Amino acid sequence: MGTQTSTPVYSDPDQPARFAEQKRVNNQRALNIDSVYEGKKFNDKVCLVTGSNRGLGKAICEELVAQGARVIATCRKSEPKIEGLYKVIKGIDVMDNKSMEKLVKEIGEDSVDVVVNNAGYFMVDPETIEGNKCDFSEELKMIDICAVGPLRVTSALFNGKKLSKG
């Protein structure tokens, strides 16, 4: 009796090529978000969003508010300018453990149903290993924010007993 092995399937990292293929095969999940997205499921849910003051974080907050969620928006400095936010917690830096204590404290009695670890950081200048053009301190900062940051936030919420059951 032999063991079957299968080759893992990964999505194509080339976004334009991936989208062209999705169009070619009429992939409705990719082409028609309304076929899979039920925003009203967020109604009355407490949703915490890190990095909420601009870009995707702000857009996510706006959509969650529009769907009736109670949005807790976190940011380091400038508050998001969004009507209908449930709470804004300023001074939250996903690289800082003390900041996580503040987060848990300021959530108060609420229990968080959904966590969107959106805070991110990417260098503007392109890097290459050729010619010693890597800024390793910036790389470590990016890893701390983008990889360790979500763990730091989720750990703080879990250990602070701020996550809803289920």
Side-chain angles (χ1 to χ4, degrees):
M1 185 173 263
T3 304
Q4 284 187 348
T5 60
S6 62
T7 304
V9 177
Y10 302 100
S11 69
D12 186 344
D14 181 341
Q15 290 181 342
R18 184 172 66 235
F19 185 62
E21 177 63 12
Q22 290 165 335
K23 286 192 324 189
R24 188 186 70 74
V25 299
N26 196 27
N27 179 333
Q28 286 302 296
R29 184 175 186 277
L31 301 174
N32 179 7
I33 190 68
D34 292 330
S35 71
V36 291
Y37 175 66
E38 296 178 44
K40 290 299 177 193
K41 287 185 176 183
F42 294 106
N43 187 47
D44 209 33
K45 299 286 186 192
V46 175
C47 301
L48 182 136
V49 182
T50 65
S52 64
N53 61 322
R54 61 189 178 136
L56 285 174
K58 184 177 179 190
I60 290 167
C61 286
E62 290 169 340
E63 176 63 18
L64 289 169
V65 166
Q67 297 301 335
R70 292 181 288 155
V71 178
I72 300 173
T74 73
C75 53
R76 285 182 304 132
K77 297 176 186 166
S78 59
E79 291 186 29
K81 306 286 189 260
I82 302 169
E83 287 288 322
L85 291 173
Y86 179 61
K87 287 184 184 177
V88 175
I89 305 176
K90 285 178 67 174
I92 301 302
D93 183 340
V94 300
M95 294 192 309
D96 180 51
N97 292 332
K98 289 283 186 202
S99 184
M100 297 302 101
E101 293 171 15
K102 173 185 168 82
L103 174 65
V104 168
K105 182 180 177 194
E106 292 196 23
I107 287 173
E109 297 301 314
D110 287 306
S111 190
V112 177
D113 299 301
V114 176
V115 179
V116 180
N117 282 301
N118 171 72
Y121 172 77
F122 298 96
M123 290 181 52
V124 175
D125 297 329
E127 292 187 282
T128 176
I129 59 172
E130 295 173 344
N132 280 331
K133 293 185 180 172
C134 289
D135 185 336
F136 294 111
S137 63
E138 288 295 308
E139 294 294 337
L140 289 171
K141 179 179 176 181
M142 185 168 47
I143 290 167
D144 196 5
I145 294 169
C146 299
V148 180
L151 295 173
R152 195 175 280 119
V153 169
T154 305
S155 175
L157 295 173
F158 178 80
N159 289 303
K161 299 185 180 4
K162 297 298 176 187
L163 295 175
S164 296
K165 302 286 184 217

